[in-house]
Amino acid sequence: MSSCKFISASELPTKFGDFIISVFEEPNGKDHIALTIGNIYEQQSVMCRVHSECLTGDALHSLRCDCGPQLQGALEQLSMNKSGILLYLRQEGRGIGLVNKIRAYALQDQGHDTVEANEMLGFPADLREYNICLDILEHFNITSVNLLTNNPKKVEALEEVGIKVTKRTAIHEGENEKNKQYIQTKRDKMGHLR
């Protein structure tokens, strides 16, 4: 039985194209969304981005990370592809939440990298979970994806929960002067690809 349930869907016109927004809810009340475009039902490997919420990057356009540009880049790619799905998971700050993310930012201001900051707060480098992805993709009858990511651990995590990743497509968005160390830490300590 699914650990989350479909709640509702609506049209969502955006500057990237006309999407359908669907909301899903876990038993604990946490909600997640899926943005779909085009016909995703007749494809063997649906273009897919799994994006974790980043209020500072996605909504406030922070230059500390590459989240906002990656979100926009993924929506552009899905639109250009004329089909695909973006899962927007409510797991702020690699799963540590907004308050602890800002605490981690304060430690980064003192010279620590993102991994060190999380660990100093008593967290692992990444607390995100991907079980919810299987539930959402099953709702759309999607069994395999072309995953838009630079993170090979995300590929492994999705495959561990039962999602077949047939291809990984890189996203080259968002590197700037303010986040060079952050990007380098993701590459050196978290294994992100270019």
Side-chain angles (χ1 to χ4, degrees):
M1 188 170 184
S2 176
S3 66
C4 73
K5 62 180 180 178
F6 168 76
I7 302 298
S8 188
S10 175
E11 295 178 1
L12 186 71
T14 75
K15 70 178 185 178
F16 306 105
D18 294 336
F19 288 81
I20 301 293
I21 184 169
S22 301
V23 66
F24 297 82
E25 187 176 61
E26 291 185 80
N28 63 10
K30 187 181 276 189
D31 52 5
H32 308 276
I33 64 169
L35 291 174
T36 58
I37 191 167
N39 186 352
I40 57 173
Y41 297 100
E42 297 176 4
Q43 296 184 37
Q44 291 296 322
S45 184
V46 175
M47 185 173 279
C48 176
R49 167 73 177 165
V50 176
H51 189 90
S52 294
E53 179 180 37
C54 177
L55 175 70
T56 52
D58 298 343
L60 303 176
H61 307 286
S62 169
L63 297 177
R64 291 186 81 125
C65 64
D66 55 352
C67 301
Q70 284 196 354
L71 174 61
Q72 292 181 27
L75 291 171
E76 287 173 2
Q77 283 188 259
L78 294 174
S79 184
M80 288 183 347
N81 191 57
K82 296 188 177 15
S83 71
I85 185 168
L86 184 138
L87 307 184
Y88 194 88
L89 306 182
R90 305 295 300 279
Q91 33 190 16
E92 180 80 45
R94 296 187 179 279
I96 66 174
L98 181 60
V99 170
N100 286 315
K101 177 174 144 177
I102 302 306
R103 288 180 176 147
Y105 277 1
L107 291 168
Q108 292 170 43
D109 291 343
Q110 298 170 19
H112 303 284
D113 66 37
T114 187
V115 171
E116 294 165 348
N118 278 18
E119 290 171 347
M120 290 172 75
L121 292 172
F123 300 108
D126 196 335
L127 266 177
R128 292 176 293 181
E129 296 181 3
Y130 296 99
N131 295 8
I132 194 75
C133 297
L134 181 62
D135 296 331
I136 295 171
L137 292 175
E138 283 182 345
H139 172 82
F140 294 102
N141 296 316
I142 296 172
T143 57
S144 62
V145 297
N146 166 10
L147 192 63
L148 300 173
T149 188
N150 297 331
N151 185 353
K153 291 181 182 173
K154 191 179 285 185
V155 173
E156 292 170 16
L158 291 180
E159 289 180 335
E160 284 175 10
V161 300
I163 299 164
K164 183 177 180 183
V165 180
T166 58
K167 182 179 177 184
R168 181 194 69 84
T169 300
I171 295 185
H172 301 292
E173 307 284 347
E175 191 166 342
N176 64 66
E177 287 300 317
K178 301 280 186 184
N179 68 13
K180 278 189 176 183
Q181 181 185 3
Y182 169 76
I183 302 284
Q184 196 60 47
T185 299
K186 288 204 305 184
R187 290 175 183 150
D188 294 347
K189 292 190 172 181
M190 301 171 117
H192 284 220
L193 304 170
R194 296 178 190 266

